[in-house]
Amino acid sequence: MLAGRAPPGAAGCCRRLLAATLAAGLRPLLRGPPPCWATARRAAGQWPSPGLRVPEAAEAERLVQQVQQTSVAVRRFIACPRLARTVQRCLQSGASPGSPPVLLECEPGPGVLTRTLLNAGVRVVALESNPAFLPNLQSLENSLDGQLKVIYGDFCRLDPLVTGTLKPPAICSEKLFETMGVAAVPWRADSPVKIFGILPQSKERLRLWRHLFALYECSSIYRYGRAELNVFISEKEYKEPWSSFLTNSKNGGLAIPKSVRLPNDHLCLVRLTPQQNLFTGGLNPTNSAIFIFMVKQCLAKPKSRLIDRLNSWSLDNSSQLLRELEIPENAQTRNVYPEDYKRLFEALQNTNIFTETWWHDEIFETVRNINL
């Protein structure tokens, strides 16, 4: 289903995340597999199915067990061929007429999804941060006629705020998109690239906030247009069993996260596609960081009342403002609808709240921390 107005009172990570992502026009997609379709390239014979053998779950498990984890973050990989086919159909759904965009697969690991995508005629760029997985992927790249491109890099370390030359697997978006052969397009054009990945378990929320800041500022991958982000994240309400995934530990072997680190045993696939009319009204890339920071401040204590948060900002007419916006005075910040946050932001622009020095200092510090 398309995520729209969630019922008031919905708590937890998903409700707070959707409030942040939807507030200025993002459109998350959480639904089951759509009907399969043939890509335009494959129909035209440009990318015929190479007929690659997709590793079964047991074989993928052995591949992951043989690889010692070299990065700080523990990675997750698709192991189930059935799940790979479902993800492939989801990624190919809702395509516009014409040539489909390139698909950037982050951390393909044993390549179960990679081969499934290639067999469906998709042009894939595999971004892999673990050198141990690169030989198999590069061998596959050499066996195909330009349908697969393998790059050594880490999507979670894209465009870090550091000085000097980046040390791989850190990578800059300019170099990445140049290597992929993807040029910038106008904001209202179709998505120039599709991105798929499974967020590492550590700092999951922080990574999502980072993408939100980049999106609203039209920086990083969003300098090239409305990039479509498809990610598996932890979520108990939309389920895919852990048995379909593999997680390698730092000292080799497999690992299943403990319940104290993950509230449930499931992940959900979420599609985040920026809307064409994202920047309407008083919202634009110049002031978008203020908007995101405002939402982040409100959701820091999701059970607190919105009016209390406004009063903490020394706003003199909080009650009157909420009445004008038709927001109940006793509304908790987690229960405020996303579009209402945008209306609140536009109303606050007419006050002197956002001119305060502490706002800009806090925003700078927040952006700096999430990009290091």
Side-chain angles (χ1 to χ4, degrees), residues 16 52 55 63 66 76 86 102 118 201 255 283 286 298 334 338 363 372:
R16 297 193 293 273
L52 300 171
L63 289 173
Q66 293 170 1
R76 302 154 170 169
T86 298
V102 63
L118 294 171
Q201 183 179 334
L283 183 66
T286 303
C298 290
R334 65 177 181 178
I363 291 170
L372 291 179

Side-chain angles (χ1 to χ4, degrees), residues 41 46-48 50 52 100-103 114 117-118 121-126 137-151 179-181:
R41 287 183 182 273
Q46 297 180 359
W47 296 119
L52 300 171
V102 63
L103 191 143
T114 310
L117 292 169
L118 294 171
V122 180
R123 181 189 167 205
V124 180
V125 174
L137 292 171
Q138 290 167 342
S139 176
L140 183 60
E141 175 187 16
N142 295 333
S143 68
L144 301 172
D145 187 19
Q147 188 182 357
L148 173 65
K149 177 69 176 178
V150 179
I151 301 175
T179 305
M180 291 194 298

Side-chain angles (χ1 to χ4, degrees), residues 301-369:
K301 295 182 179 180
K303 294 183 180 181
S304 64
R305 296 191 308 166
L306 179 60
I307 191 170
D308 294 333
R309 174 57 66 181
L310 295 177
N311 289 333
S312 71
W313 298 337
S314 302
L315 187 65
D316 298 330
N317 57 344
S318 300
S319 298
Q320 179 182 346
L321 178 61
L322 292 181
R323 284 196 300 270
E324 292 175 354
L325 297 176
E326 298 181 345
I327 299 175
E329 287 193 25
N330 62 347
Q332 294 180 336
T333 58
R334 65 177 181 178
N335 295 334
V336 177
Y337 287 117
E339 54 267 34
D340 289 335
Y341 272 117
K342 184 180 179 182
R343 294 195 301 121
L344 176 62
F345 170 75
E346 292 171 346
L348 289 176
Q349 284 188 301
N350 298 324
T351 70
N352 61 353
I353 290 292
F354 297 144
T355 62
E356 298 290 339
T357 303
W358 72 268
W359 268 95
H360 299 278
D361 291 343
E362 289 285 347
I363 291 170
F364 175 79
E365 186 66 18
T366 298
V367 174
R368 187 185 70 84
N369 289 337

Side-chain angles (χ1 to χ4, degrees), residues 95-113:
S96 302
S99 299
V102 63
L103 191 143
L104 176 64
E105 183 189 3
C106 305
E107 307 298 340
V112 175
L113 177 61

